């Protein structure tokens, strides 16, 4: 169904061997993105967001990591575990990636312009001079002031927001078909965040690239996403168009996240509703639904059986992995699950 | 309303050698009233943590005064001063990972204040620690564990218990939730809220997240490059910001609502926050301000009541 999309990941499972045992970091994850589309992946810390995209990029350290199943197809071709296609490394050329912490992925001993130029020399066969000139243009494109001068500076001479923009310039240098952005703005102020998000949207519009955006900020999701995948304990528990996931949330975890956030409404005096408890131990993932232990609507079956994807309608691809959506399930009203208490 | 902490013309510079100084806090005046929560927002590096620490004497004041009730707090704290004020004023630190000593058990961390600043004996201390562990939603049998055995949210609770066990009157909460997941943020905010009500605390709540600050605070103060640019009741400051910088902050704040995000105009601010070493003359925001006027580059605007409303203050020549 999704294999004709630009990038499709199917049945991905990833484990890590650690002293404490085997961590099942990603358990059967499938998603796809098309050109010109932004997929946001949300979920709390440790749920497997980074590991998912690192697998696609061939960045999982093995050992301790191990991809135990799955495919990742770019234009129909499996790239999982073999990022070299037709003699070319698709990383950087076809798929660009922005990391959460720019300092870890930029080389502190090389000036910014040369770092961007390097990918162009490697992937596009530019001469050193052509590549550096293009690097300056790219820095202008991501709105670094005085780009020609800045290109000769080193990472430590850049502010956090400028580094993040320089990393975007590196990631898009070869005009990749897919841009993967792992928490690109988490460490930044809201004002700089707005700049970076606008920039990503402009680039998407101008080059029709696909974006996979990892974040745990639902505000960023609302601003950027066409499609949303909500991850919990290594699985996608709900996925669909952004409006479906926000306005017709179909998984208790999605509702829980929304109820935990303040609403910007001066009239509504509510109390935040936290999600009690903490995510399950991925050394021993629960037999049934990962969210079961924290779910206010858990049923007996949830404990023992992993819920399949229940389609929410015939016309969309909105699904929820929750037995409440089973056609025979007694109708529990999801919208009352985390009612925001009205305070006196 | 009774003033509890009165900050007047507070200045904190850091000398960084070669005759250079960081103007981290530059002439800040703010009164915090008994029982209220004042939210402090502003970009990274604007001086929020420095202001909080200087109020509590964790940094020496370069100049200016801080009064606690009617009593002027010392310019430079000595050991005896910390002894004297620790039970009344406390801080919850920004980073739940680095602010807890990894070699101390939870009992030692939380009980330290009592050991240093009270004459409780060790049995009493253990009892109080157990009580506070319960109060912040942890278990008394967590006492002998070490910080690395806890999640970020749990560590933040340990930090809260450590600050509150002395039952202070005034607490600076420096980004108590920034490092936490959304679901845990709500736990910590609700916890602070209920303890505040129980103990009648007064809080200075520092955070990046504007929606959360509006939700938590009675009043909001907006800081830019060491100065306050706007102060007022939280709702008006958030919904009808007056200062161009506050306007940019609130319009950059993405809301978890796809429909309203689709209609949001792109409001990207240009430029970067200037270095606090080379403070520009005039208004500090002038170089990035979409409404800049010639006057702004010559004179420094002072915080003044907006439209004669003493509760609402803004430092901007647009409102002169
Ligand atoms: N190299 C590794 N060795 C062992 N375990 C790992 C490794 N990388 C990731 N993990 C584990 O895999 C799980 C998923 O981690 P991942 O980094 O994908 O989380 P995340 O959703 O990106 O979280 P965050 O929001 O904190 O970035 C976690 O339990 C993590 O501890
Ligand atoms: N001990 C110090 N020595 C020198 N400069 C300092 C010191 N502490 C803070 N500064 C500088 O003072 C300014 C204000 O820093 P501060 O940590 O108060 O900002 P902040 O608003 O809390 O930022 P953040 O949101 O990143 O926590 C910054 O320029 C910072 O680099
Ligand atoms: Mg991650
Ligand atoms: Mg700070």
């Amino acid at each position: 169904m999704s294999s004709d999309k630009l990038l499709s990941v199917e049945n991905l499972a990833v484990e890590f061997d650690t002293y404490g045992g085997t961590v099942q970091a990603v358990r059967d994850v499938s998603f796809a993105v098309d050109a010109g589309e932004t997929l946001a992946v949300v979920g709390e810390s440790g749920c497997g967001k980074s590991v998912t995209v690192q697998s696609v990029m061939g960045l999982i350290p093995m050992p301790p990591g191990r991809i135990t199943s799955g495919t990742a197809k770019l234009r129909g071709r499996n790239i999982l575990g073999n990022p070299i296609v037709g003699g070319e490394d698709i990383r950087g050329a076809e798929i660009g990636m922005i990391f959460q912490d720019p300092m870890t992925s930029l080389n502190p001993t090389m000036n910014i312009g040369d770092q961007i130029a390097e990918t162009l020399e490697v992937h596009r066969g530019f001469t050193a001079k052509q590549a550096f000139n293009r690097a300056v243009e790219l820095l202008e494109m991501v709105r670094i002031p005085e780009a020609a001068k800045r290109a000769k500076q080193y990472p430590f001479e850049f502010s956090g927001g400028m580094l993040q923009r320089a990393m975007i310039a590196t990631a898009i240098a070869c005009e990749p078909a897919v841009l993967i952005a792992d928490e690109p703005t988490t460490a930044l102020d809201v004002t700089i965040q707005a700049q970076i998000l606008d920039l990503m949207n402009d680039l998407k519009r101008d080059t029709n690239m696909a974006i996979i955006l990892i974040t745990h900020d639902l505000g960023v999701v609302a601003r950027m996403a066409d499609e949303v995948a909500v991850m919990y304990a290594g699985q996608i528990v709900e996925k669909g168009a952004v409006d479906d996931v926000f306005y017709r949330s179909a998984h208790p975890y999605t509702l829980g996240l929304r109820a935990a956030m303040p609403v910007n409404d001066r009239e509504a005096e509510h109390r935040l509703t936290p999600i009690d408890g903490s995510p399950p131990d991925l050394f021993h993932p629960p037999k049934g639904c990962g969210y079961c232990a924290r779910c206010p609507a858990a049923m007996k079956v949830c404990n023992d059986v992993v819920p399949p994807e229940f389609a929410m309608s015939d016309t969309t691809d909105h699904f929820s992995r929750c037995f409440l959506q089973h056609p025979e399930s007694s109708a529990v009203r999801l919208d009352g699950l985390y009612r925001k208490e009205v305070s006196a | 309303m009774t003033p509890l902490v009165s900050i007047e013309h507070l200045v904190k510079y850091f000398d960084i050698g070669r005759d250079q100084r960081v103007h981290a806090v530059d002439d800040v005046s703010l009164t915090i009233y008994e029982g209220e929560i004042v939210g402090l927002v502003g970009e990274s590096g604007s001086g929020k943590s420095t202001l909080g620490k200087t109020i509590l004497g964790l940094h020496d004041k370069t100049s200016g005064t801080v009064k606690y009730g009617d009593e002027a707090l010392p310019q430079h704290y000595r050991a005896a001063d910390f002894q004297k004020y620790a039970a009344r004023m406390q801080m919850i630190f920004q980073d739940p990972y680095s602010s807890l000593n990894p070699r101390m058990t939870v009992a030692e961390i939380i009980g330290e204040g009592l050991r240093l600043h009270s004459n409780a004996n060790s049995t009493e201390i253990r009892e109080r620690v157990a009580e506070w562990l319960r109060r912040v939603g942890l278990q008394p049998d967590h006492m002998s564990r070490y910080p690395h055995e806890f999640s970020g949210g749990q560590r933040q609770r340990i930090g809260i218990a450590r600050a509150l066990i002395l039952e202070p009157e005034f607490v600076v909460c420096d980004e108590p939730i920034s490092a936490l997941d959304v679901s845990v943020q709500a736990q910590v905010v609700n916890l602070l809220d209920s303890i505040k009500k129980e103990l009648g605390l007064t809080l200075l709540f520092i955070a990046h997240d504007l929606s959360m600050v509006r939700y938590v605070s009675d009043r909001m103060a907006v800081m830019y490059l060491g100065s306050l640019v706007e102060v007022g009741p939280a709702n008006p400051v958030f919904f009808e910001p007056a200062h161009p910088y506050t306007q940019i902050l609130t319009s950059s704040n993405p809301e978890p609502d796809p429909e309203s995000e689709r209609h949001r105009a792109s409001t990207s601010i240009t430029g970067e926050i200037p270095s606090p070493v080379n403070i520009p003359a005039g208004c500090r925001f002038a170089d990035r301000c979409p409404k800049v006027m010639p006057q702004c580059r010559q004179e420094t605007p002072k915080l003044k009541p907006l439209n004669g409303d003493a509760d609402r203050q803004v430092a901007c020549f647009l409102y002169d």
Side-chain angles (χ1 to χ4, degrees), chain A residues 189, chain B residues 12-16 21-25 40-53 59 94 174-175 206-208 223 225-226 274-277:
Chain A
D189 286 310
Chain B
K12 175 62 199 177
Y13 296 154
F14 294 104
D15 285 315
I16 52 170
R21 37 187 16 193
V22 177
H23 295 229
V25 173
L40 181 61
V41 296
E43 269 168 287
S44 182
S46 58
K48 304 180 298 294
S49 298
T50 306
L51 176 60
K53 288 182 185 168
H59 289 309
Q94 185 156 359
D174 193 359
E175 311 254 9
I206 301 174
H208 273 104
M223 200 160 177
L225 209 59
S275 148
V277 178

Side-chain angles (χ1 to χ4, degrees), chain A residues 44-51 53-54 100 182-183 214 216:
Chain A
E44 58 198 277
S45 187
C47 72
K49 305 182 294 295
S50 296
V51 169
V53 294
Q54 283 163 3
Q100 176 160 2
D182 190 353
E183 313 251 12
I214 295 181
H216 54 247

Side-chain angles (χ1 to χ4, degrees), chain A residues 8 107 156 172 237 332:
Chain A
S8 64
N107 178 348
F156 75 89
I172 61 166
V237 295
V332 171

Side-chain angles (χ1 to χ4, degrees), chain B residues 125-233:
Chain B
I125 292 177
R126 281 192 81 76
E127 279 166 13
R128 294 278 296 283
V129 169
E131 178 199 328
W132 271 93
L133 279 169
R134 245 182 264 113
R135 247 171 148 157
V136 298
L138 297 170
Q139 268 110 51
D141 62 6
H142 286 155
M143 236 189 278
S144 50
R145 299 201 194 167
Y146 290 86
H148 71 86
E149 297 172 61
F150 293 89
S151 71
Q154 289 173 322
R155 284 183 227 206
Q156 200 56 275
R157 290 151 186 269
I158 294 168
I160 292 173
R162 169 179 66 180
L164 298 185
I165 195 163
L166 292 166
E167 309 210 346
E169 296 154 339
F170 174 64
V171 181
V172 174
C173 307
D174 193 359
E175 311 254 9
I177 54 171
S178 309
L180 308 177
D181 274 314
V182 172
S183 61
V184 186
Q185 287 186 352
Q187 294 174 7
V188 172
V189 163
N190 286 352
L191 173 68
L192 278 173
D193 189 52
S194 53
I195 295 177
K196 176 200 172 257
K197 287 190 180 118
E198 249 172 77
L199 301 184
L201 285 177
T202 304
L203 302 179
L204 181 64
F205 185 91
I206 301 174
H208 273 104
D209 179 342
L210 291 168
S211 306
M212 198 57 106
V213 171
R214 180 203 73 88
Y215 171 80
V216 168
S217 313
D218 301 303
R219 286 195 301 146
M220 235 161 116
V222 184
M223 200 160 177
Y224 187 79
L225 209 59
S227 301
L228 293 182
V229 297
E230 182 160 1
V231 180

Side-chain angles (χ1 to χ4, degrees), chain A residues 43-46 143 159-162 165 188-198 216-220 222-223 225 242-243 246-247 253 257-266 268-277 294, chain B residues 42-44 48 180-187 189-191 193-194 197 208-212 214-215 235-236 238-240 245 248-249 251-262 264-272 288:
Chain A
E44 58 198 277
S45 187
R143 301 188 201 115
S159 71
M162 278 166 55
R165 276 177 278 168
L188 305 176
D189 286 310
V190 284
T191 52
I192 313 288
Q193 168 170 288
Q195 289 175 14
I196 304 275
L197 298 182
D198 284 354
H216 54 247
D217 184 334
L218 292 184
V220 172
R223 172 147 204 151
V242 64
D243 283 10
F246 274 80
Y247 301 129
Y253 176 61
L257 278 182
R258 290 183 35 220
M261 297 182 70
V263 181
N264 295 332
D265 178 350
R266 67 198 307 170
E269 273 307 319
H270 57 267
R271 210 172 135 81
L272 303 179
T273 313
I275 302 177
D276 288 328
R294 302 171 82 182
Chain B
E43 269 168 287
S44 182
K48 304 180 298 294
L180 308 177
D181 274 314
V182 172
S183 61
V184 186
Q185 287 186 352
Q187 294 174 7
V189 163
N190 286 352
L191 173 68
D193 189 52
S194 53
K197 287 190 180 118
H208 273 104
D209 179 342
L210 291 168
S211 306
M212 198 57 106
R214 180 203 73 88
Y215 171 80
N235 276 336
F238 185 89
F239 291 107
E240 296 108 32
Y245 177 63
I248 286 168
L249 269 188
S251 64
S252 305
N253 182 43
E255 279 185 60
D257 181 19
E259 190 53 30
S260 55
E261 285 303 316
R262 270 193 282 275
R264 180 194 293 276
S266 140
T267 49
S268 283
I269 186 176
T270 50
E272 307 267 330
R288 299 168 83 189

